């Protein structure tokens, strides 16, 4: 097998394959043997159909199946031989089986080199989650405004209507909920601080094939929702254009962050053993433990 690799850009590689006649013949013989076991041709028992008759009746099928068998095998062998590290599935083009020789081209993005200069001891500042009486009162006012069709007094009767025995117990529950929400937001804020620092300290080229795949997935999900809302084709097309502009930079950032976290996982030998775990989640947990924490005053 001949394999030639051409560098298209920093990450993209073009691999040209030539599979010799001997290999193609071997695979095609195996395919015809398998076809012959199940082919139903009048006058012949399965497995006893002469090759030339199978060629006439199933020649195209045999050719297609042979190509389908050889290409993945040859691709993986070629990637290993040339010591490439693909980051995604290749694009297969220029497939040609002529005079018993199979040729094809595989275009792929390789995994980028990720340089991360500092990821331990990142300084993070966590906001306080204390809840003031003023915040509780503002939330109570929000509930009050939600009932504009009637005169509302914030008292024990109001609390009972919300499912609590007294106003004090309702306020206590509100305080716990506000504190919970603050805790969650503060945790997200700390993670964002770490992510910002990682991006600042990392050098890498983001593979556009991954960005396109993720963007395509996000667009499809969004367009399904819009379609279910009754938007017509013209409206959907306009929405798609708007979303492409909006989501493009967001998705590229997400891919970049994932690659950085993946590199840290490699450096720290962090692995996922539980199906419910995620690698980025485990790496973030590690980074939070290693961070240098301060509380806001």
């Amino acid at each position: 097998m001949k394999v030639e690799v051409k560098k298209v850009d920093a990450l993209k590689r073009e691999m040209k394959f030539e599979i010799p006649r001997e290999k193609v013949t071997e695979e095609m013989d195996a395919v015809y043997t398998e076809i012959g076991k199940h082919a139903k041709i009048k006058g012949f028992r399965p497995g006893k159909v002469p090759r030339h008759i199978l060629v006439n009746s199933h020649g195209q099928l045999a050719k297609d199946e042979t190509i389908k068998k050889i290409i993945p095998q040859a691709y993986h062998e070629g990637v290993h031989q040339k010591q490439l590290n693909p980051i995604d599935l290749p694009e297969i083009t220029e497939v040609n089986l002529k005079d018993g020789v199979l040729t094809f081209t595989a275009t792929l993005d390789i995994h980028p080199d990720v340089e991360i200069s500092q990821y331990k001891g990142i300084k993070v500042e966590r906001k306080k989650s204390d809840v003031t009486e003023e915040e509780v009162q503002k939330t109570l006012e929000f509930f009050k405004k939600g009932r504009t069709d009637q005169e509302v007094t914030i008292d024990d009767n109001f609390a009972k209507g919300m499912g609590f025995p007294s106003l004090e117990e309702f306020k206590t529950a509100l305080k716990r909920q506000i504190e919970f929400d603050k805790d969650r937001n503060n945790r997200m804020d700390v993670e964002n601080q770490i992510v910002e620092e990682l991006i600042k300290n990392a050098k890498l080229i983001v593979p556009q094939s991954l960005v396109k795949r993720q963007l395509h997935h996000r667009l499809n999900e969004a367009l399904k929702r819009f379609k279910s809302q009754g938007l017509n084709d013209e409206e959907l097309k306009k929405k798609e254009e708007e979303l492409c502009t909006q989501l493009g930079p967001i998705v590229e950032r997400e891919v970049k962050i994932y690659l950085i976290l993946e590199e840290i996982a490699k450096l720290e030998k962090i692995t996922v053993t539980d199906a419910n775990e995620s690698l980025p989640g485990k790496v973030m947990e590690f980074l939070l433990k290693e961070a240098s924490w301060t509380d806001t005053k």
Side-chain angles (χ1 to χ4, degrees):
M1 178 178 77
K2 292 180 183 177
V3 186
E4 293 179 0
V5 179
K6 177 184 174 185
K7 182 178 178 180
V8 179
D9 59 31
L11 297 180
K12 196 173 293 298
R13 301 291 183 269
E14 187 180 85
M15 302 178 73
K16 289 193 175 293
F17 290 80
E18 183 179 307
I19 316 301
R21 185 178 291 105
E22 296 77 22
K23 174 65 177 174
V24 176
T25 300
E26 179 187 333
E27 289 293 346
M28 192 166 283
D29 286 345
V31 167
Y32 270 118
T33 299
E34 195 60 31
I35 290 173
K37 289 178 184 177
H38 308 285
K40 294 180 180 179
I41 296 178
K42 192 174 180 180
F44 297 97
R45 287 178 296 164
K48 300 296 182 180
V49 183
R51 173 69 173 261
H52 70 277
I53 292 178
L54 285 176
V55 170
N56 289 334
S57 59
H58 294 78
Q60 189 59 48
L61 174 63
K63 180 180 176 182
D64 294 343
E65 288 300 313
T66 300
I67 290 170
K68 279 165 64 177
K69 282 182 69 177
I70 290 177
I71 286 180
Q73 296 170 3
Y75 171 73
H76 289 298
E77 186 182 330
V79 162
H80 179 73
Q81 178 186 320
K82 298 297 182 179
Q83 298 183 323
L84 298 177
N85 185 11
I87 200 166
D88 204 359
L89 294 173
E91 179 187 3
I92 304 296
T93 56
E94 299 175 353
V95 179
N96 188 26
L97 179 54
K98 185 177 180 182
D99 298 329
V101 176
L102 174 63
T103 57
F104 68 93
T105 299
T107 305
L108 62 140
D109 276 345
I110 60 171
H111 201 290
D113 291 328
V114 179
E115 295 178 27
I116 177 75
S117 58
Q118 181 187 346
Y119 58 88
K120 292 181 182 179
I122 293 175
K123 292 181 180 179
V124 295
E125 190 177 84
R126 183 180 171 87
K127 297 173 185 174
K128 290 185 180 297
S129 300
D130 298 342
V131 180
T132 65
E133 180 64 25
E134 184 184 359
E135 287 173 311
V136 174
Q137 289 300 328
K138 280 183 179 178
T139 306
L140 285 172
E141 286 298 317
F142 173 79
F143 279 102
K144 185 177 179 179
K145 287 176 182 176
R147 303 188 174 196
T148 54
D149 58 331
Q150 55 185 308
E151 193 67 32
V152 176
T153 304
I154 303 295
D155 55 13
D156 286 346
N157 281 332
F158 175 81
K160 286 175 182 175
M162 299 300 293
F164 293 86
S166 68
L167 179 59
E168 279 309 306
E169 290 207 29
F170 181 40
K171 287 169 72 174
T172 300
L174 275 181
K175 191 172 182 177
R176 281 199 301 265
Q177 183 60 50
I178 296 168
E179 190 172 9
F180 175 81
D181 291 341
K182 274 191 166 186
D183 264 335
R184 183 182 56 197
N185 291 335
N186 291 344
R187 155 83 187 218
M188 289 172 61
D189 179 60
V190 168
E191 288 188 4
N192 286 335
Q193 290 175 49
I194 287 177
V195 164
E196 288 299 327
E197 199 65 22
L198 291 176
I199 290 174
K200 190 168 74 176
N201 293 335
K203 291 181 181 178
L204 71 154
I205 298 170
V206 179
Q208 290 307 301
S209 62
L210 277 189
V211 175
K212 286 177 184 175
R213 186 175 72 177
Q214 185 63 15
L215 181 59
H216 180 71
H217 173 72
R218 295 275 290 272
L219 281 173
N220 277 348
E221 291 298 310
L223 290 173
K224 278 179 190 174
R225 291 196 301 272
F226 288 128
K227 196 168 185 179
S228 68
Q229 294 168 11
L231 271 65
N232 59 39
D233 289 345
E234 188 177 336
E235 290 170 327
L236 285 171
K237 188 176 180 182
K238 188 178 179 181
K239 280 287 183 185
E240 184 174 6
E241 291 170 357
E242 291 173 359
L243 285 170
C244 270
T245 303
Q246 294 168 6
L247 290 176
I250 297 170
V251 170
E252 181 150 348
R253 176 186 164 87
E254 288 173 351
V255 171
K256 189 173 190 176
I257 293 165
Y258 179 84
L259 292 170
I260 294 169
L261 294 176
E262 187 182 54
E263 180 65 18
I264 294 171
K266 194 189 304 178
L267 293 170
E268 295 295 329
K269 298 179 172 56
I270 298 171
T271 57
V272 171
T273 54
D274 191 322
N276 295 320
E277 292 179 325
S278 77
L279 188 64
K282 283 195 76 171
V283 176
M284 183 55 71
E285 185 181 329
F286 165 81
L287 293 170
L288 288 167
K289 288 176 182 175
E290 293 290 327
S292 175
W293 291 70
T294 57
D295 290 326
T296 54
K297 295 179 181 178

